[in-house]
Amino acid sequence: MNKNSNTYIIIYSTVMVVVVAILLAVAALSLQKRQYQNELNEKKTNILQSLGAADQNFDELMTAYVIENGTKNETPADKVFDMMKTNKDLRDSYAAGKLYLFVAKDGRVVIPIVGAGLWGDIWGYLALEKDMNTVSGIVMAHKGETPGLGAEIATPNHQAKYKGKTIFEGNDFVGITLRKGGAQNPAHEVDAISGGTKTSNGVTNMIKDCLGAYVQVLKAQPDVVEPANPEAKTESETQKVENNE
């Protein structure tokens, strides 16, 4: 065949495209398991960072739960992560009333959060102290917020501002607001990002919408955090029995 002919060029190009496509497909499949493991490790690390426990072992420290229709079920963490593999999965779970809760051995909890920034998704994990009200820490990431502006939500300096904030005012859920011009209520507000109003509003809405879905769960904290055991009585229940006797 004449190598300078159009037929040869078309056939050669087609073969090369097919060969390259096959090689890329094989490479993608061979790396898929490793990629998934890296993503899983990143999520576990982010949860530990939100608790300020990055040096600890996730599997030894954390227990994962799925809460649906008012029922809490302890679930293997890897299975939970698989159910919330993408931001869309997490949004769909919220829409369906399925909630995920990660509980540390010391009683603190971590809640996955997802929202919308200026240019795309924002997401992360927010940790609460044992009182189910005070923020222990937060880790956030973004898809494409503007560097130096909205992208600041992913920096340690910005995330440190949430520690110690509270999400309830008395018995009412108020969330946390990023206020333009500076926080006016130190208990429930954080300084908005200068030049990043849309992203700041996105974070405010993300925290309000996601944590708002957990209000009843947080108010019933002892029933959620402690593993279900119908045969066991709590210390308070035992005390009541003893007092009645």
Side-chain angles (χ1 to χ4, degrees):
M1 182 180 293
N2 184 1
K3 293 184 178 181
N4 294 319
S5 67
N6 291 335
T7 302
Y8 177 84
I9 293 173
I10 292 173
I11 294 174
Y12 180 83
S13 300
T14 301
V15 171
M16 288 301 297
V17 168
V18 171
V19 170
V20 171
I22 292 174
L23 291 175
L24 289 175
V26 170
L29 288 173
S30 64
L31 294 173
Q32 192 174 45
K33 186 175 181 180
R34 182 180 297 179
Q35 182 180 12
Y36 173 77
Q37 190 61 47
N38 288 339
E39 292 174 354
L40 186 63
N41 290 337
E42 182 180 12
K43 291 177 180 178
K44 290 181 177 180
T45 298
N46 287 338
I47 287 177
L48 292 175
Q49 287 178 341
S50 72
L51 292 166
D55 59 339
Q56 298 193 42
N57 184 288
F58 178 92
D59 297 320
E60 294 177 356
L61 181 67
M62 308 299 298
T63 303
Y65 294 91
V66 176
I67 305 168
E68 193 169 13
N69 298 323
T71 302
K72 174 213 55 163
N73 291 301
E74 182 176 338
T75 308
D78 287 5
K79 184 176 180 180
V80 173
F81 284 123
D82 193 53
M83 287 188 284
M84 46 178 273
K85 187 174 183 180
T86 67
N87 289 334
K88 181 181 183 303
D89 293 333
L90 186 53
R91 284 193 176 93
D92 289 345
S93 292
Y94 272 115
K98 181 184 292 184
L99 306 177
Y100 307 113
L101 191 71
F102 299 91
V103 183
K105 281 187 175 180
D106 62 7
R108 290 183 294 168
V109 301
V110 180
I111 295 172
I113 52 179
V114 63
L118 175 61
W119 301 114
D121 284 346
I122 53 177
W123 64 91
Y125 298 93
L126 188 145
L128 294 173
E129 298 288 352
K130 290 185 290 185
D131 63 3
M132 301 296 114
N133 183 27
T134 307
V135 176
S136 178
I138 190 171
V139 170
M140 289 185 286
H142 62 90
K143 184 176 182 180
E145 300 307 288
T146 307
L149 299 175
E152 289 297 300
I153 64 169
T155 63
N157 285 340
H158 177 75
Q159 293 169 8
K161 297 178 180 180
Y162 295 78
K163 187 175 177 62
K165 303 298 180 182
T166 54
I167 61 172
F168 285 95
E169 181 68 51
N171 200 44
D172 297 326
F173 173 73
V174 295
I176 298 173
T177 299
L178 276 68
R179 184 176 294 279
K180 185 177 181 180
Q184 298 177 11
N185 185 339
H188 311 299
E189 295 182 353
V190 171
D191 294 347
I193 299 168
S194 179
T197 302
K198 292 291 186 180
T199 306
S200 296
N201 291 342
V203 173
T204 296
N205 293 333
M206 173 174 67
I207 293 175
K208 182 177 181 181
D209 294 342
C210 293
L211 268 67
Y214 286 80
V215 168
Q216 296 306 316
V217 173
L218 298 176
K219 288 183 177 180
Q221 172 265 336
D223 297 328
V224 174
V225 174
E226 296 298 329
N229 185 352
E231 298 180 0
K233 292 183 178 180
T234 64
E235 183 178 347
S236 60
E237 289 175 332
T238 303
Q239 187 65 45
K240 287 180 181 178
V241 172
E242 292 174 352
N243 290 339
N244 289 336
E245 292 177 348

